[in-house]
Amino acid sequence: MVPSEPTVILRLQIHFMVTANQQLIETLGVHLEGEYNLPPLAARIYAILILTDEDGLTFEDCLEKRGASKSSTSTSLNLLLNMGIITYFTKPGDRRRYFSIAKQKTFFLAKLQENLKRVEKEKAIITLVLDYHKKSSPKKFKEGQERTHIYLDYMNKNEALLTESIEKLKKILD
Amino acid sequence: MVPSEPTVILRLQIHFMVTANQQLIETLGVHLEGEYNLPPLAARIYAILILTDEDGLTFEDCLEKRGASKSSTSTSLNLLLNMGIITYFTKPGDRRRYFSIAKQKTFFLAKLQENLKRVEKEKAIITLVLDYHKKSSPKKFKEGQERTHIYLDYMNKNEALLTESIEKLKKILD
DNA sequence: CGTTTAGTTTGGTACCTTCCGAACCAACTG
DNA sequence: CAGTTGGTTCGGAAGGTACCAAACTAAACG
């Protein structure tokens, strides 16, 4: 039996939306894997939580939307909880937990703060190496000075930018 | 037999310098591992090449300084060569290759360019997610708009900073 | 030619990560 | 109480990474 035309179109549309969504979950998932050093499954679940319209997803929702095992879903959700990048809430008369991303407050703020830490760490390392070269081979040190200066200059400006943005963000969150 | 005092002091000093150097190699090594996604051994060899006073180290120098096997040393050096973060040169009448870090030119420039790529990639992803939310749940979208704006603003400024620094660096390298 | 030098390639081991199924537990429900 | 729901914990299995030792190769040396 051939379905009537409107049905076909509707099916195609739904299929398109579903696969487009899956695609986005995948894209975002890969990104998050790298960004937060998450295992594949945890990253996909995080992506699902970021993208959903619902106000919070249950354990089972997560499980079904990804098609993973109970144990892996449990492990992944707990990992995300421990990292503080998701939270859950409960509804009265409902034993289940509803998981959702920790308010974007935390999301972007954490990102900026993390970034700041990275910059500071790198500055520290560069200083360490520079000191070492200054002592052990002044010639080599002199050579690279100008380039190094540009790089350090960028790092400092970026650091200032970060501190400033963090302040701004904190202010609107009070 | 008890060594005379000066000998003891000398030994202690040498030991101190050696372990201090080893420590720095280790610290820098771990940093590079994370920064360039390098396997442990490759990262340590890279660190050794960054820190040495010599004008270039041979295969055997690398092998000895790290105490690794020939095969692993070979693999690691080739990996670093393929990634373009080290180079080698030869001396007339000497069959060996002398490895050294690719000029800091490439080092810092590559770092800035890599950073720029990361920022652009993240901006793209955020836009993607934002568009999705705008379409599927406008309420959710409105809520986070102010925070998102601050973050995107930071990203744009950082992007400008990076482009600028890259230009500066390119200029002094001509 | 045989020998030495400077590396490369191959095959295998050890470890680490990620996920799963199955058994388990703890709270509530009738 | 027994049964269901909402998870957690445990013991692998599969796959990937990083390293090593040993065999090999290719160029130079005498």
Side-chain angles (χ1 to χ4, degrees):
Chain A
M1 174 212 161
V2 177
S4 65
E5 265 213 10
T7 313
V8 172
I9 289 169
L10 185 58
R11 277 192 191 158
L12 283 174
Q13 260 187 12
I14 287 175
H15 180 255
F16 172 74
M17 283 168 60
V18 166
T19 55
N21 184 20
Q22 287 299 326
Q23 193 52 56
L24 189 48
I25 289 175
E26 201 47 36
T27 309
L28 182 55
V30 181
H31 179 73
L32 295 170
E33 252 181 85
E35 206 66 11
Y36 293 90
N37 225 323
L38 290 172
L41 180 57
R44 299 311 179 282
I45 292 180
Y46 188 22
I48 288 171
L49 289 174
I50 289 179
L51 292 175
T52 186
D53 320 349
E54 311 293 325
D55 217 39
L57 295 180
T58 65
F59 186 97
E60 253 220 300
D61 292 336
C62 295
L63 188 150
E64 278 171 6
K65 289 199 188 235
R66 180 60 193 179
S69 72
K70 265 175 103 176
S71 55
S72 304
T73 306
S74 173
T75 313
S76 298
L77 282 171
N78 283 322
L79 175 64
L80 295 171
L81 282 171
N82 284 334
M83 290 179 76
I85 57 188
I86 68 170
T87 17
Y88 67 86
F89 58 91
T90 52
K91 299 181 180 179
D94 186 345
R95 201 143 60 94
R96 292 169 300 177
R97 291 182 285 178
Y98 289 78
F99 299 93
S100 68
I101 56 174
K103 275 195 161 192
Q104 285 204 332
K105 153 195 178 169
T106 324
F107 182 85
F108 286 131
L109 191 56
K111 249 182 163 334
L112 288 172
Q113 285 168 336
E114 207 181 296
N115 223 320
L116 185 57
K117 240 187 248 166
R118 267 193 59 189
V119 170
E120 270 157 8
K121 192 184 146 206
E122 180 153 40
K123 260 179 65 178
I125 294 260
I126 290 186
T127 313
L128 225 56
V129 173
L130 245 49
D131 278 3
Y132 183 86
H133 275 159
K134 208 191 286 188
K135 275 179 204 145
S136 73
S137 54
K139 198 193 78 211
K140 208 169 176 179
F141 170 72
K142 271 274 160 123
E143 263 173 37
Q145 209 168 16
E146 198 180 357
R147 296 155 195 170
T148 312
H149 184 260
I150 293 181
Y151 191 70
L152 280 178
D153 192 45
Y154 159 70
M155 298 275 278
N156 284 326
K157 283 182 185 161
N158 188 18
E159 202 177 354
L161 222 53
L162 279 164
T163 320
E164 189 190 318
S165 303
I166 288 172
E167 284 315 308
K168 263 195 236 169
L169 205 51
K170 274 188 179 160
K171 202 168 283 176
I172 75 155
L173 293 170
D174 295 334
Chain B
M1 177 211 159
V2 177
S4 65
E5 267 212 8
T7 313
V8 172
I9 290 170
L10 186 59
R11 277 189 192 161
L12 283 174
Q13 262 188 8
I14 288 174
H15 180 255
F16 173 75
M17 284 169 60
V18 167
T19 56
N21 184 20
Q22 288 298 325
Q23 192 55 54
L24 188 50
I25 288 174
E26 201 49 34
T27 308
L28 182 56
V30 180
H31 180 75
L32 296 170
E33 253 180 85
E35 207 66 11
Y36 293 89
N37 226 323
L38 290 172
L41 180 57
R44 301 308 179 281
I45 292 181
Y46 187 22
I48 288 171
L49 289 176
I50 289 178
L51 292 174
T52 187
D53 320 349
E54 310 294 324
D55 217 39
L57 295 180
T58 64
F59 185 98
E60 252 220 299
D61 291 337
C62 295
L63 188 151
E64 279 170 5
K65 289 199 188 236
R66 180 59 193 179
S69 71
K70 264 176 105 175
S71 55
S72 305
T73 306
S74 172
T75 313
S76 299
L77 283 171
N78 282 322
L79 175 64
L80 295 171
L81 282 171
N82 283 335
M83 291 179 75
I85 58 189
I86 68 170
T87 16
Y88 67 85
F89 58 92
T90 52
K91 300 182 180 177
D94 186 345
R95 200 141 61 95
R96 291 169 300 174
R97 288 182 289 177
Y98 289 79
F99 299 94
S100 68
I101 55 174
K103 271 195 164 193
Q104 285 207 329
K105 154 194 179 166
T106 325
F107 183 84
F108 286 130
L109 192 55
K111 251 182 164 332
L112 289 172
Q113 284 168 335
E114 208 179 296
N115 225 321
L116 185 57
K117 242 189 244 164
R118 269 194 57 191
V119 170
E120 271 157 7
K121 192 184 145 204
E122 179 151 41
K123 260 178 66 178
I125 293 262
I126 290 185
T127 312
L128 226 55
V129 174
L130 246 47
D131 277 3
Y132 183 86
H133 276 160
K134 208 190 287 189
K135 277 180 203 143
S136 73
S137 53
K139 200 193 77 209
K140 207 169 175 181
F141 170 71
K142 270 271 159 121
E143 264 174 36
Q145 208 168 15
E146 199 180 356
R147 296 155 195 167
T148 312
H149 183 260
I150 293 181
Y151 191 70
L152 279 178
D153 192 46
Y154 160 69
M155 299 273 280
N156 284 327
K157 283 182 184 160
N158 188 17
E159 201 178 354
L161 221 54
L162 279 165
T163 321
E164 190 190 317
S165 303
I166 288 172
E167 283 316 305
K168 260 195 239 169
L169 204 50
K170 272 186 181 163
K171 201 168 282 174
I172 74 155
L173 291 171
D174 296 334

